[in-house]
Amino acid sequence: MSSKIQFRFQSSKAFDAITFSGLMIKLLELKRAIVEKLKLDRAHMDFDLAVSNAQTKEAYGDDNMMVPKNTSVVVRRVPATG
């Protein structure tokens, strides 16, 4: 059975979804899935995605954090660090 996380960019009103297997997904994997789904310009990769919980506004800062299935998140494109 596949799990789902809904996401939208801060400037958008509509949510899109990423599906995955398991109960949680690592934040880094979620970011990669969003980049692939939206076909963002991977050639330059001079950006990162800032992700926060749509309900609680909690920022997910550590790429190793686990995001539970059925979570809705808001995404912003930010300059890459490092």
Side-chain angles (χ1 to χ4, degrees), residues 7-13 50 52 73-78:
F7 73 94
R8 71 173 176 83
F9 274 87
Q10 199 169 24
S11 59
S12 175
K13 290 186 169 109
S52 60
V73 298
V74 176
V75 180
R76 292 185 296 120
R77 199 189 265 205
V78 296

Side-chain angles (χ1 to χ4, degrees), residues 27 50-62 65-68 71-74:
L27 180 60
V51 181
S52 60
N53 185 297
Q55 282 77 37
T56 67
K57 310 295 187 231
E58 173 194 1
Y60 297 113
D62 181 351
M65 281 182 85
M66 300 301 288
V67 182
T71 301
S72 296
V73 298
V74 176

Side-chain angles (χ1 to χ4, degrees), residues 9 27-32 34-35 40-42 44-51 60-64 74-82:
F9 274 87
L27 180 60
L28 183 61
E29 294 171 12
L30 175 61
K31 289 178 180 182
R32 286 181 180 152
I34 292 170
V35 167
L40 298 176
D41 187 3
R42 296 182 59 122
H44 295 98
M45 288 307 284
D46 56 349
F47 66 90
D48 192 8
L49 298 178
V51 181
Y60 297 113
D62 181 351
D63 280 345
N64 291 313
V74 176
V75 180
R76 292 185 296 120
R77 199 189 265 205
V78 296
T81 56

